[in-house]
Amino acid sequence: SGKRAPHPAIFWEHEGNRAVREGDWKLVAKGPAGKWELYNMATDRTEMHDLSARHPDRVAELRTKWEAYAK
């Protein structure tokens, strides 16, 4: 078949910065009070175009996963 299974979500936290990556999507926040920003890593590897306003459902889904991980 040649089709790989999708990677599970990856979570990390460093000096108050938070992030979760699932597939091509990466949700990041700079600092403990930072606003969540959403990037498509397949088309924007340098994280120049925040897509959070265009994909609020994806932000909510990944934020919920982050919060569950953080607990």
Side-chain angles (χ1 to χ4, degrees), residues 9-27:
I10 301 168
F11 303 88
W12 66 98
E13 190 169 11
H14 180 69
E15 296 179 352
N17 300 320
R18 302 161 283 155
V20 55
R21 174 149 183 197
E22 186 173 54
D24 292 334
W25 295 101
K26 182 177 176 185
L27 189 70

Side-chain angles (χ1 to χ4, degrees), residues 3-59:
K3 190 166 166 98
R4 289 188 345 201
H7 292 289
I10 301 168
F11 303 88
W12 66 98
E13 190 169 11
H14 180 69
E15 296 179 352
N17 300 320
R18 302 161 283 155
V20 55
R21 174 149 183 197
E22 186 173 54
D24 292 334
W25 295 101
K26 182 177 176 185
L27 189 70
V28 298
K30 294 170 181 75
K35 163 181 127 30
W36 286 109
E37 300 171 5
L38 180 70
Y39 299 98
N40 184 325
M41 300 307 290
T43 59
D44 183 20
R45 292 191 65 77
T46 56
E47 299 178 21
M48 299 297 290
H49 306 285
D50 178 7
L51 301 175
S52 60
R54 204 178 310 168
H55 298 282
D57 53 333
R58 179 79 58 183
V59 171

Side-chain angles (χ1 to χ4, degrees), residues 9 11 20 22 59-70:
F11 303 88
V20 55
E22 186 173 54
V59 171
E61 174 191 341
L62 291 173
R63 187 184 66 234
T64 297
K65 290 179 180 184
W66 165 262
E67 290 167 355
Y69 158 80

